[in-house]
């Protein structure tokens, strides 16, 4: 093949990141070429959703006029428009384990997803990514599947990418939406060596069938069981410097998908990769250590080959440049522990899409214009690194792990409320500035970036765990100090359970949400009052507007 294709934007990678961004840009008038080295459908992990991701989907759909994006947010819409292969996610749960022992029902954590606010799913990635790819094509993206990059040439006026088939694509702007093997990172030698992150984990994963519900694996009294079945959410079996993930797609009546996403994550500093075991042998060597986990996998069968990685963390010296940017997984990666991957991806899409559209209008693709995108990428990775590393260190010490989870939990709750308030305001006003104002915050990349007390608590938590790691403080003392911050602060909502050290089922009901709103507006600290009153005002104005229209 000996021809040249000209376009506004070339996107490398047609996974969720590249396809969603491509759909947005094409929908808003850009000439987009979307290339990928393989074809859809294809296997991918990163299947658990969190509230930040769900709200961002609503924001992207409204801001850029691509309503198909919200399909991924609702299990009912998924059933109608994609298929019945997705699972239900009602919670994020953790069960602590020690070798040779039955798990203690008092050493579990369940964080429920409020049904009144979010409709969460376990995303079956081969179907979700294929769906978004075809949405992108529908809006005008020019697809190239089985198209591999051979070379990239960066110039002042364009970026030229040559495929292994000889085709040359000349673009005004290049987006790398690939992953670890990023062509841009390779061409410009952007990877940090060594990687700058403290978290150091490796992973083994596959899809399985016949993985039974964990609810049937333990004989606990009803009073010691969580309010939601384990099988209706994302379950983590945690142990010293590692965890299993269990993400079922068969956990609802309408599901036609018998698969379950299963993985094992291990800290390389404690669990180095053995040279004399297959991935399956190593997986079951850890399964066999924990009686309840062994029962759950007794009859399970894999349906695809195991993937066994080396260290999964990687980082980049920079993620944006003149006429190019690397998206979330091309820029860096931490760990699947808190399901931040897809959330970070859609946050990056929101930050970069409007900038690209503006650049196409005025032909200004300067690196300075994308400086916020750089800060956001690096900040998202840094805070997730701190979260994952402190959690892995704390897993063997439940009180410490529980205290860390509480700080992450309430700060993440408020962060999602901040986004929800902004979305409600945009729905009422249609003012683009509502979204741009979200970027004006001091702690870029933190999930509640504009609240200083929470950021100070976070920094103290990270510092305290670092001292525990080197033996300067005990696990109990570190746990006491971190929990004390939660109990002494006015910010963590008591209605959600954060103020009760004996309550590990943080599952707010609709009534709990009402109690929180009443407390926040009447007696809450300024930051909570601002979020709650702003949200309530937006909801009220929206109701009045709907009444006038009807």
């Amino acid at each position: 093949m000996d021809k040249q294709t000209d376009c506004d934007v070339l996107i490398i990678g047609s996974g969720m990141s590249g396809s969603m961004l491509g759909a947005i840009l094409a929908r808003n008038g850009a000439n987009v070429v979307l290339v990928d080295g393989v074809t859809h459908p294809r296997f991918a992990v990163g299947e658990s959703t969190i509230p930040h991701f769900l709200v961002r989907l609503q924001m992207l759909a409204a801001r850029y006029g691509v309503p198909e994006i919200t399909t991924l947010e609702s299990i009912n819409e998924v059933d109608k428009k994609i298929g019945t292969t997705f699972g239900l996610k009602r919670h994020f749960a953790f069960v602590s384990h020690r070798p040779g022992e039955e798990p203690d029902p008092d050493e579990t954590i369940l964080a429920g997803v409020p049904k009144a606010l979010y409709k969460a799913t376990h995303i079956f990635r081969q179907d979700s990514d294929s769906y978004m790819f075809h949405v992108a094509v529908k809006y005008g993206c020019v697809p190239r599947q089985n198209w591999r990059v051979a070379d990239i040439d960066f110039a002042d006026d364009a970026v030229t990418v040559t495929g292994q088939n000889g085709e040359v694509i000349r673009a005004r702007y290049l987006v790398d939406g690939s992953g670890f093997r990023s062509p841009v990172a390779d061409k410009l030698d952007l990877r940090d060596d060594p990687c700058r992150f403290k978290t150091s984990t490796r992973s083994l994963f596959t899809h399985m069938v016949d993985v039974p519900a964990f609810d049937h694996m333990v004989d606990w009294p009803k009073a010691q069981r969580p309010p939601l079945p384990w099988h209706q959410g994302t379950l983590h079996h945690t142990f010293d410097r590692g965890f299993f993930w269990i993400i079922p797609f068969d956990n609802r009546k309408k599901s036609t998908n018998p698969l379950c996403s299963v993985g094992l994550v291990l800290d390389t500093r404690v669990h180095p990769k053995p040279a004399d075991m297959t991935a399956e042998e190593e997986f079951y060597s850890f399964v066999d250590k924990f009686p309840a986990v062994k029962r759950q996998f007794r009859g399970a069968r894999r349906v695809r080959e195991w993937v066994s990685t080396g260290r999964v963390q990687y980082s980049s010296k920079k993620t944006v440049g003149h006429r190019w940017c690397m998206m979330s997984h091309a820029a860096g990666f931490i760990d699947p522990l808190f399901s931040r991957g897809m959330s970070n991806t859609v946050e990056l899409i929101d930050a970069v899409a409007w900038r690209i559209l503006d650049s196409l209008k005025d032909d200004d693709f300067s690196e300075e214009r994308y400086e916020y995108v750089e800060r956001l990428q690096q900040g998202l990775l840094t805070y997730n690194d701190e979260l994952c590393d402190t959690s892995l260190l704390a897993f063997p010490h439940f009180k410490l792990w529980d205290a860390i989870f509480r700080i992450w939990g309430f700060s993440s709750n408020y962060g999602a409320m901040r986004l929800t308030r902004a979305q409600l305001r945009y729905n009422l006003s249609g003012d683009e500035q509502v979204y741009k104002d979200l970027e004006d915050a001091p702690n870029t990349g933190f999930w509640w970036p504009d609240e200083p007390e929470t950021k100070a608590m976070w920094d103290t938590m990270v510092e305290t765990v670092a001292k525990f790691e080197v033996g300067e403080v005990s696990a109990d003392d570190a746990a006491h100090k971190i929990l004390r911050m939660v109990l002494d602060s006015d910010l963590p909502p008591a209605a959600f359970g954060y103020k009760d050290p004996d309550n590990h089922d943080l599952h707010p009901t609709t009534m709990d949400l009402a109690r929180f709103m009443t407390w926040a507006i009447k007696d809450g600290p300024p930051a909570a009052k601002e979020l709650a009153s702003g949200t309530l005002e937006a909801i009220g104005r929206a109701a009045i507007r709907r009444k006038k229209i009807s």
Side-chain angles (χ1 to χ4, degrees):
M1 184 175 291
D2 186 18
K3 68 175 184 177
Q4 177 174 303
T5 300
D6 294 328
C7 63
D8 291 326
V9 182
L10 171 61
I11 300 176
I12 300 172
S14 65
M16 184 177 294
S17 173
S19 292
M20 195 176 291
L21 178 61
I24 287 169
L25 297 178
R27 169 69 175 81
N28 288 274
N31 178 8
V32 181
V33 175
L34 182 60
V35 305
D36 203 303
V38 295
T39 61
H40 288 282
R42 75 277 186 97
F43 172 71
V45 291
E47 301 126 326
S48 179
T49 58
I50 59 176
H52 274 75
F53 172 73
L54 301 172
V55 182
R56 285 281 180 184
L57 292 178
Q58 298 175 24
M59 295 168 69
L60 290 173
R63 185 176 192 179
Y64 299 105
V66 185
E68 292 87 349
I69 291 174
T70 59
T71 297
L72 301 179
E73 179 227 356
S74 166
I75 195 71
N76 293 329
E77 290 302 303
V78 164
D79 286 347
K80 294 176 187 175
K81 298 177 181 177
I82 300 179
T84 53
T85 55
F86 286 41
L88 179 69
K89 178 175 178 177
R90 298 185 65 192
H91 61 72
F92 220 44
F94 303 83
V95 178
S96 298
H97 296 267
R98 294 180 181 84
E101 298 181 12
E102 291 292 334
D104 184 342
D106 290 330
E107 293 190 349
T108 66
I109 294 174
L110 184 140
V113 179
K115 291 178 68 175
L117 295 179
Y118 311 112
K119 309 177 192 73
T121 61
H122 287 156
I123 292 184
F124 191 52
R125 290 292 300 274
Q126 72 176 50
D127 288 355
S128 66
D129 294 12
S130 180
Y131 169 78
M132 283 311 309
F133 171 72
H134 289 101
V135 169
V137 172
K138 183 188 82 169
Y139 279 114
C141 284
V142 178
R144 295 283 194 276
Q145 297 193 81
N146 287 323
W147 198 98
R148 298 180 183 277
V149 175
D151 194 19
I152 305 176
D153 180 64
F154 298 91
D156 288 341
D157 61 341
V159 179
T160 304
V161 180
T162 303
Q164 290 182 1
N165 63 356
E167 182 183 12
V168 175
I169 302 177
R170 189 175 187 272
R172 297 171 68 192
Y173 195 79
L174 174 66
V175 175
D176 189 339
S178 60
F180 172 69
R181 295 179 178 84
S182 155
V184 170
D186 288 346
K187 179 69 176 181
L188 299 177
D189 190 26
L190 295 178
R191 292 289 186 241
D192 291 320
D193 188 13
C195 169
R196 70 178 176 88
F197 303 127
K198 191 171 182 181
T199 308
S200 181
T201 56
R202 58 188 180 89
S203 184
L204 303 89
F205 53 87
T206 188
H207 279 168
M208 287 184 163
V209 293
D210 299 331
V211 179
F214 185 69
D215 307 81
H216 308 312
M217 301 300 110
V218 287
D219 186 21
W220 294 342
K222 184 177 180 180
Q224 291 184 295
R225 290 178 177 267
L228 299 174
W230 297 113
H231 200 58
Q232 289 188 359
T234 303
L235 176 61
H236 305 77
H237 293 303
T238 66
F239 55 91
D240 189 0
R241 300 292 191 98
F243 66 93
F244 298 88
W245 81 66
I246 298 175
I247 303 176
F249 302 110
D250 64 346
N251 61 354
R252 60 192 185 97
K253 289 182 179 180
K254 285 188 177 181
S255 176
T256 56
N257 186 350
L259 301 183
C260 181
S261 177
V262 171
L264 171 63
V265 176
L266 299 164
D267 192 320
T268 62
R269 295 164 291 189
V270 176
H271 306 291
K273 193 171 186 175
D276 58 348
M277 300 176 75
T278 67
E280 188 161 65
E281 288 171 343
E282 185 181 16
F283 178 82
Y284 279 103
S285 74
F286 278 88
V287 166
D288 290 345
K289 293 176 187 288
F290 311 106
V293 178
K294 186 175 181 178
R295 289 194 293 273
Q296 188 168 22
F297 284 102
R298 183 170 290 148
R301 297 177 290 119
R302 64 176 174 83
V303 298
R304 57 181 306 114
E305 294 302 310
W306 285 93
V307 176
S308 178
T309 74
R311 186 185 180 192
V312 298
Q313 291 75 34
Y314 53 93
S315 59
S316 301
K317 303 178 185 73
K318 59 186 297 189
T319 67
V320 302
H322 181 64
R323 293 189 181 270
W324 63 267
C325 76
M326 295 193 297
M327 294 300 288
S328 182
H329 286 104
F333 184 74
I334 304 300
D335 190 271
L337 179 56
F338 285 90
S339 302
R340 297 289 311 180
M342 289 192 293
S343 175
N344 290 357
T345 292
V346 292
E347 188 161 354
L348 256 297
I349 290 173
D350 196 24
V352 78
W354 69 268
R355 287 177 166 85
I356 294 175
L357 292 170
D358 283 357
S359 292
L360 293 174
K361 292 175 184 175
D362 59 23
D363 203 36
D364 176 9
F365 296 91
S366 61
E367 190 172 333
E368 291 74 20
R369 178 169 237 168
Y370 295 82
E371 184 273 336
Y372 173 80
V373 177
E374 175 72 31
R375 282 192 291 116
L376 179 61
Q377 295 248 49
Q378 302 292 8
L380 288 168
L381 291 166
T382 294
Y383 291 118
N384 196 25
D385 179 38
E386 292 176 346
L387 174 62
C388 291
D389 187 59
T390 55
S391 299
L392 283 161
L393 291 168
F395 277 165
H397 312 281
F398 182 76
K399 289 182 180 179
L400 180 56
W401 157 231
D402 178 66
I404 290 170
F405 188 88
R406 288 171 192 271
I407 288 187
W408 173 78
F410 90 78
S411 61
S412 184
N413 290 161
Y414 279 122
M417 290 177 196
R418 175 177 178 265
L419 298 180
T420 299
R421 181 187 61 173
Q423 179 58 29
L424 288 167
R425 288 179 172 177
Y426 179 81
N427 288 343
L428 286 168
S429 67
D431 186 357
E432 180 86 358
Q433 193 60 42
V434 171
Y435 291 131
K436 292 182 179 180
D437 287 345
L438 291 173
E439 296 184 0
D440 186 17
N443 302 307
T444 304
F446 193 57
W447 29 93
W448 194 13
D450 50 5
E451 204 293 305
E453 181 185 343
T454 305
K455 176 59 166 57
M457 292 172 66
W458 183 265
D459 290 342
T460 300
M461 180 196 80
V462 172
E463 179 185 354
T464 302
V465 175
K467 290 180 178 179
F468 156 69
E469 182 182 13
V470 298
E472 292 183 15
V473 298
S474 68
D476 284 347
D477 288 344
H480 177 78
K481 182 173 182 177
I482 295 169
L483 181 61
R484 192 75 259 162
M485 289 193 297
V486 175
L487 299 179
D488 289 346
S489 172
D490 292 331
L491 285 170
F496 291 0
Y498 290 109
K499 292 286 192 177
D500 181 0
D502 296 323
N503 179 14
H504 308 301
D505 296 324
L506 309 175
H507 173 50
T509 63
T510 301
M511 185 60 69
D512 292 331
L513 288 172
R515 292 191 187 100
F516 161 76
M517 295 293 284
T518 301
W519 162 78
I521 292 171
K522 291 180 60 179
D523 304 309
K529 184 174 294 186
E530 179 188 4
L531 283 179
S533 59
T535 301
L536 199 62
E537 177 190 359
I539 292 173
R541 288 170 59 195
I544 293 171
R545 187 178 182 182
R546 285 195 300 270
K547 187 174 181 180
K548 287 181 178 179
I549 292 173
S550 63

